[in-house]
Amino acid sequence: MTPGEREQKVKALIDKLCLTRKLKRSEWIELIRERTPAAADYLFELARVVRIRHYGHDIYIRGLIEFTNYCKNDCYYCGIRKSNTYAQRYRLSKEDILSCCDQGYELGFRTFVLQGGEDGWFTDERLCDIVSAIRNSFPDCAVTLSVGERSRKSYQQLYEAGADRYLLRHETYNEDHYNRLHPPQMSASHRKKCLWDLKRSGYQTGTGFMVGVPFQTPENLADDMLFLARLNPQMVGIGPFVPHHDTPFADAPGGTVELTLFMLGLIRLLLPRVLLPATTALGTIDPEGREKGILAGANVVMPNLSPLQVREKYLLYDNKICTGDEAAESLNHLKERMEKIGYHITVDRGDSLNI
Ligand code: 5AD
C-alpha cells in the first residue's frame, strides 16, 4: 500500500467507527498504528460533531479534592507509591474537605471529586461519614469518589451514604502489560471486578488508562478500546504517562500529546455521550493541552480544589500543574480560555445521559 492508500484506509476505519461504533480488534490496531496527522484532523472534526450533537459547546467542571496521598499500593509509575519515601504524606480532615467544598460551591462547582491513594485510615465508616456530610451540606451537588479498589460491600455502603459516581481507571486491559506496571499483589482481573461491582452498585462509573505508559503497544490500546466498549462507562479519563523522578519508571519516555489526542477522539466516537476530561496530565505536558483536548472531543475539565499547602504533595508525576489555570481559583481565566475556542463552562452537574 502507498502512504496515500494507507491514509484512506485509516479514514475509512474512522468512518466505520463513527457510523457503527464497532470495530474488530485488528481494525483498532490498524487504526492506531497507521494513524497520520491528516487522519487525526479528520477524526477530531467528526469527534467535535458528535460531541456537539449531544452536549453542544458546554464544558463541565469538576472540583478535584486530593484528600490523602497515603497509599498502600506500589504502582511502578506513580509518585505517591508506597515505596517513595521522599513523598511528604498528608491526609485532610473532614473539616478540611468540607471547607474545600464550601469554596468550590462559591466558585460554581456542583461536582466534587474526592480523590486519594488507597489509604487504610479511611475506613468505610470514616469515608461514609465524610460522603454523607457533603451530601447533606450540598444536596444539589454530585459526589464522585476516586479511592481505588475496595470491596463490593464498601462500594455499596459509600453509594448509600450519597456517592453518585466513582472513577477507577483500569490502567491497561492486558494482564501481562498490567503486571509489568504493578507489583504482584495487584491484578488486572481484580481491577476489572471492582469496575463491574461499581456498575452493579449503581454508580455512574468512570475508567481509563494512561497513554504511552512503558511497554504499551497498539495491541494494548486496542484491547483498552474493546474493554471500554464492553463496560460502557459514563466517564473515561485518559492522559499521557508522565515520568516521576522517584519511581522505577523515572527514565522512561513520557506519552505524547499527539497519541493522547488521537485516543480522545476515538473514545468520543466509540462512546458518543461519555464524559471525557481534558486531564491535568495533558495540561502538564502542553500548555495548551486542555484546549487541544476539548477540540479533540473532550468535554470536562477538573480544576484543583485542594488546599494550597497540600497541592504540591499530590505529585503523581513530575511537574504536575496545580496552580495557574489548573487551580479552581482561576476559574474565570479558564472560562476565558474556553470561550476563545468557542466553548462555555457550565455549572450543570452534567450527569451522563448514558444508559
Ligand atoms: N503519569 C500519568 N498519570 C499517572 N497516574 C498515576 N501516575 C501517573 C503518571 N506517572 C494516573 C493513573 C491513576 C490516576 C489517578 O493517575 O492512571 O489512575
Side-chain angles (χ1 to χ4, degrees):
M1 262 196 282
T2 66
E5 282 166 348
R6 268 215 306 275
E7 189 160 283
Q8 283 316 309
K9 188 102 189 281
V10 169
K11 285 188 180 174
L13 287 170
I14 293 170
D15 286 333
K16 182 175 177 192
L17 173 63
C18 192
L19 287 172
T20 68
R21 289 192 240 150
K22 214 175 156 67
L23 293 184
K24 293 202 259 305
R25 185 169 187 271
S26 57
E27 293 174 324
W28 279 116
I29 296 168
E30 186 176 10
L31 174 52
I32 294 164
R33 183 183 287 144
E34 307 292 339
R35 69 188 189 280
T36 61
D41 286 339
Y42 182 69
L43 167 67
F44 301 151
E45 265 173 51
L46 288 177
R48 287 196 292 268
V49 169
V50 169
R51 195 268 317 278
I52 290 163
R53 183 186 305 148
H54 296 292
Y55 289 108
H57 289 79
D58 289 349
I59 303 295
Y60 297 93
I61 49 170
R62 281 81 174 84
L64 185 61
I65 304 170
E66 297 160 336
F67 70 100
T68 173
N69 71 351
Y70 283 88
C71 191
K72 71 171 163 62
N73 290 332
D74 219 11
C75 310
Y76 303 149
Y77 47 82
C78 184
I80 63 167
R81 64 198 301 266
K82 179 178 64 183
S83 299
N84 181 9
T85 51
Y86 297 106
Q88 291 181 44
R89 306 289 168 171
Y90 73 90
R91 187 177 278 142
L92 299 185
S93 67
K94 178 180 167 185
E95 290 66 39
D96 293 334
I97 296 172
L98 284 167
S99 105
C100 289
C101 296
D102 275 328
Q103 284 175 29
Y105 195 91
E106 280 297 303
L107 290 165
F109 289 92
R110 294 296 177 269
T111 295
F112 302 118
V113 181
L114 264 56
Q115 184 173 95
E118 293 197 13
D119 178 358
W121 193 86
F122 287 99
T123 56
D124 291 343
E125 198 183 336
R126 288 188 173 128
L127 208 48
C128 282
D129 179 52
I130 292 168
V131 168
S132 56
I134 300 175
R135 167 67 41 252
N136 292 332
S137 306
F138 305 94
D140 56 334
C141 293
V143 180
T144 305
L145 290 176
S146 178
V147 289
E149 299 181 21
R150 299 175 82 97
S151 67
R152 169 91 204 263
K153 188 160 155 254
S154 170
Y155 289 150
Q156 199 88 51
Q157 285 179 7
L158 290 163
Y159 185 79
E160 280 155 22
D164 311 274
R165 307 177 180 155
Y166 204 106
L167 306 176
L168 182 72
R169 292 187 179 179
H170 66 282
E171 310 297 357
T172 180
Y173 177 83
N174 178 275
E175 285 202 21
D176 295 330
H177 187 218
Y178 191 95
N179 291 338
R180 299 180 81 171
L181 306 179
H182 302 93
Q185 295 81 359
M186 298 178 73
S187 74
S189 60
H190 190 256
R191 195 92 178 162
K192 287 167 211 156
K193 177 191 178 296
C194 287
L195 281 162
W196 293 110
D197 284 348
L198 286 165
K199 279 207 104 178
R200 264 198 296 274
S201 303
Y203 287 94
Q204 292 176 44
T205 303
T207 195
F209 52 88
M210 285 172 282
V211 175
V213 76
F215 316 114
Q216 187 177 58
T217 62
E219 285 77 5
N220 295 150
L221 287 169
D223 287 337
D224 290 327
M225 297 306 279
L226 292 169
F227 177 64
L228 292 184
R230 258 200 298 139
L231 184 71
N232 190 25
Q234 281 86 2
M235 288 102 55
V236 174
I238 67 160
F241 161 70
V242 186
H244 182 291
H245 61 283
D246 287 319
T247 62
F249 291 160
D251 298 323
T256 63
V257 176
E258 181 271 323
L259 183 52
T260 305
L261 296 175
F262 195 77
M263 297 310 296
L264 282 172
L266 295 181
I267 293 168
R268 173 58 63 204
L269 295 190
L270 176 69
L271 303 170
R273 291 170 186 269
V274 80
L275 288 158
L276 190 61
T279 51
T280 307
L282 185 57
T284 294
I285 63 165
D286 185 329
E288 282 172 32
R290 265 175 304 251
E291 284 91 338
K292 289 179 183 171
I294 300 297
L295 293 170
N299 66 337
V300 176
V301 285
M302 299 170 69
N304 197 314
L305 256 185
S306 312
L308 282 171
Q309 66 278 16
V310 303
R311 269 188 209 169
E312 292 180 351
K313 299 183 181 153
Y314 200 82
L315 200 66
L316 303 181
Y317 42 82
D318 287 342
N319 307 314
K320 177 168 166 273
I321 48 175
C322 61
T323 55
D325 296 344
E326 194 53 28
E329 313 85 79
S330 315
L331 198 56
N332 279 333
H333 198 217
L334 189 61
K335 275 183 189 156
E336 282 167 25
R337 288 178 57 171
M338 293 296 127
E339 297 285 339
K340 267 200 192 127
I341 55 168
Y343 291 80
H344 327 289
I345 285 186
T346 166
V347 297
D348 278 8
R349 280 178 43 152
D351 284 287
S352 167
L353 309 164
N354 230 6
I355 304 169

